[in-house]
Amino acid sequence: MKPTVMQLHRDLLLGNTSSVALTEQALAAIACHQEAGERAFTLVDAKAALATARQVDAAGLYPTPLAGIPVSVKDLFDIQGQVTTAGSVAFKRNPRAPRDAAVVATLRAAGAVLLGRTNMSEFACSGLGLNSHYGTPRNPGDPERVAGGSSSGAAVSVALGMSAAALGADTGGSARIPAAFCGLVGFKPTARRVPMQGCLPLSPSLDSIGTLARSVSCCAILDAVLSGGWTPSHARGLPPDVTKRRFYVTDDYLSQHVDSAVAQAFDDALACLSRAGARIIRFDFPELGRIADMEAQGGLAAAEAWRWHGPRLEGEGGACYDPRIAQSLRQGAGLSAVRYLELVEQRRELQAAAAYRLSMADAWLMPTVAILPPKLAELENEDVYAHLNRLVLRNSAVVNLLDGCAVSLPLTDQIGLSVCGLHGRDSHILKIAAGVERALAHP
């Protein structure tokens, strides 16, 4: 069992290890990974990472739990002096970033050791994690399967001990999907809880910062630091209790085409929570049935992505895009302004329905992903790729449409359980998820 952020922090405070030692271990793991031909990272800045580690050790204070801790950063965020390629060769010749993204600057200020940039689906435009330019990070538990996306390299970096935590992004599940597929915890906050400045956009209405780590407490610490709410009280952890909690479960839209192994793991988790004293409440959410029509031609995400990528796709750099990514982005070209406004209104209606139906819920539970990680070989077929990409994104994308928050917890090393809440309920959902995590660990 790899240590959590808080366990590493305590070891640093007790003098049982040093930031330099942790960083050297992380860099050694990355080197072995790369020597094996694997592609979790697109850039490793060993010199800068070790310099930061030495500086933190020299101060000897470790004022936050992230001080001296090795963290990876998705190749979607600006890091001063580096080129943000977003997993694409189209941007390789772009200017170097003049400053850090807001969240990267916050991590630096907290003393985190930034190891380098992690691989991802090109422009964060897929839930599968494939990358035809830099190579596809493979599932740590089964190299014939995907690691999930778009934050594929981020998940692999944590799962294989190359970082203690990872900074990702989440527009439709990009942090939670790879967390579920790689046996990790992933957190998607309410959009705008964490500033997006310096993060390459995909869909500004849906984009949010995501984090991946080994425990709920790790993600809670990251959230507290990144959202500007860190205080020493966070070091005491989250109260883990599910007794009398009301967990809502819907058997309609989110339960369609669910793999039998996923369904069994989800049912087993519900039974475990019930034994721990939680109340499992089945409810209907028929409004979710409208999402399929909303997502035709790519929905809000495609419309907003086209506004940014359209000029680039139509220009000289368009030939550099992966054809599958380009095809997905081009869906937005056919959406009129009227249709876009209709989608915005339909989203508001869906959010109002969710506020009504979930008003008495402590949390809404669902499988993070309806299926097991697909095999790489089957994704060579374009129709299969498109179908499985939609299915992988389906459950998690609902939370983005609602502008909610969610924590994905591992049920197995490839299946996740999502603990979801409405807009602004982030701290509450993190506490609930900590209780669920404990209950599942002690059935």
Side-chain angles (χ1 to χ4, degrees), residues 13 44 134 138 214 233 247 268 270 274 282 287 299 319 330:
L13 290 175
V44 179
Y134 298 103
R138 295 187 293 175
R214 296 170 189 149
S233 65
F247 293 135
D268 290 347
L270 295 182
S274 182
R282 304 278 177 172
E287 292 85 358
R330 289 185 190 280

Side-chain angles (χ1 to χ4, degrees), residues 48-262:
L50 285 168
T52 299
R54 293 188 189 100
Q55 184 177 11
V56 173
D57 283 339
L61 297 175
Y62 310 108
T64 79
L66 293 182
I69 304 298
V71 176
S72 67
V73 177
K74 185 177 182 178
D75 187 21
L76 201 67
F77 297 93
D78 287 344
I79 298 177
Q80 185 177 21
Q82 298 179 9
V83 177
T84 304
T85 69
S88 177
V89 295
F91 285 6
K92 285 188 72 173
R93 296 183 181 179
N94 279 12
R96 298 175 186 272
R99 63 187 65 85
D100 288 335
V103 287
V104 172
T106 300
L107 287 175
R108 283 196 200 278
V113 176
L114 307 183
L115 296 166
R117 314 180 73 88
T118 52
N119 202 351
M120 55 182 284
S121 304
E122 186 177 25
F123 299 121
C125 198
S126 168
L128 295 169
L130 275 62
N131 191 297
S132 62
H133 306 299
Y134 298 103
T136 296
R138 295 187 293 175
N139 191 291
D142 183 349
E144 293 186 0
R145 297 181 183 271
V146 300
S150 63
S151 307
S152 50
V156 174
S157 76
V158 178
L160 294 182
M162 294 182 284
S163 65
L167 180 66
D170 194 307
T171 302
S174 290
R176 290 162 288 153
I177 293 166
F181 281 176
C182 296
L184 300 172
V185 175
F187 177 55
K188 175 245 179 292
T190 300
R192 304 300 178 267
R193 177 177 173 84
V194 180
M196 296 290 298
Q197 292 96 326
C199 175
L200 192 78
L202 178 62
S203 172
S205 294
L206 305 172
D207 292 342
S208 59
I209 303 299
T211 52
L212 302 93
R214 296 170 189 149
S215 71
V216 175
S217 71
C218 296
C219 286
I221 288 166
L222 284 161
D223 172 71
V225 170
L226 294 176
S227 64
W230 163 258
T231 65
S233 65
H234 287 90
R236 292 196 291 270
L238 302 169
D241 185 19
V242 298
T243 304
K244 297 183 180 180
R245 295 293 191 180
R246 298 181 299 273
F247 293 135
Y248 278 39
V249 177
T250 177
D251 292 321
D252 38 37
Y253 178 79
L254 299 173
S255 63
Q256 298 172 10
H257 311 295
V258 174
D259 185 275
S260 59
V262 174

